[in-house]
Amino acid sequence: MKDYDTDIEKESSLGHVVKVQHVIDFLVLAELQNGRRYGKQLDRVITTALQGVGVNDSYLAQRLKKLAEKGHAASQWDDDNRYNRFYEITDSGLEYFRQLQRDLPERVALALKVYKLFENTIKKHQV
């Protein structure tokens, strides 16, 4: 039986590790600084940046809606096609992006550490 009463201090929580929404928000806002983009274009940017790892269409739509609701992006229907909505970054979005730039490096470092430790735990328990 393992001894779980060791003197290890909790430095952080898993909730502080990078969340999917932070990754999406960062990539979307970074791209919107290059000008307005359609949702499908933003989906492509994410998939390209993450080398084939994309995001569920409905989750991306939810994040884009949330960015617009919080005032970080402005959204508007394309005049020619009611199925295409384009997005533009706002001043609030620029500030939020700068905040992510400040916060995410530390969170990414923590995530890498946590996942490496978890990978080692998985290896220890493989059959």
Side-chain angles (χ1 to χ4, degrees):
M1 179 166 234
K2 295 198 179 224
D3 179 18
Y4 293 104
D5 294 328
T6 58
D7 289 336
I8 293 178
E9 293 289 325
K10 188 186 298 186
E11 297 173 22
S12 190
S13 71
L14 286 174
H16 192 70
V17 175
V18 178
K19 295 175 173 64
V20 172
Q21 70 188 40
H22 294 140
V23 174
I24 294 169
D25 291 357
F26 185 89
L27 292 171
V28 164
L29 293 173
E31 181 61 22
L32 290 180
Q33 290 178 60
N34 297 318
R36 72 182 194 176
R37 299 287 187 264
Y38 292 101
K40 286 291 181 189
Q41 290 174 306
L42 295 168
D43 180 47
R44 203 75 190 126
V45 165
I46 292 167
T47 304
T48 300
L50 301 178
Q51 298 182 356
V53 176
V55 63
N56 177 293
D57 288 344
S58 62
Y59 189 70
L60 177 58
Q62 176 189 4
R63 286 309 309 154
L64 292 171
K65 182 179 178 184
K66 188 63 80 176
L67 286 170
E69 286 173 357
K70 290 185 172 189
H72 301 319
S75 69
Q76 186 174 353
W77 289 109
D78 187 349
D79 292 336
D80 297 337
N81 186 339
R82 295 288 297 167
Y83 295 103
N84 287 326
R85 182 182 289 259
F86 65 83
Y87 298 86
E88 296 179 280
I89 194 166
T90 63
D91 290 341
S92 172
L94 283 170
E95 182 53 40
Y96 176 48
F97 179 76
R98 289 183 191 113
Q99 177 188 343
L100 290 171
Q101 281 182 306
R102 289 187 298 269
D103 296 347
L104 286 178
E106 181 182 317
R107 287 177 173 232
V108 168
L110 177 61
L112 291 170
K113 174 185 168 186
V114 167
Y115 282 117
K116 186 65 180 166
L117 292 168
F118 186 60
E119 179 183 47
N120 293 339
T121 302
I122 290 171
K123 287 178 183 176
K124 277 195 323 192
H125 295 282
Q126 286 181 333
V127 217

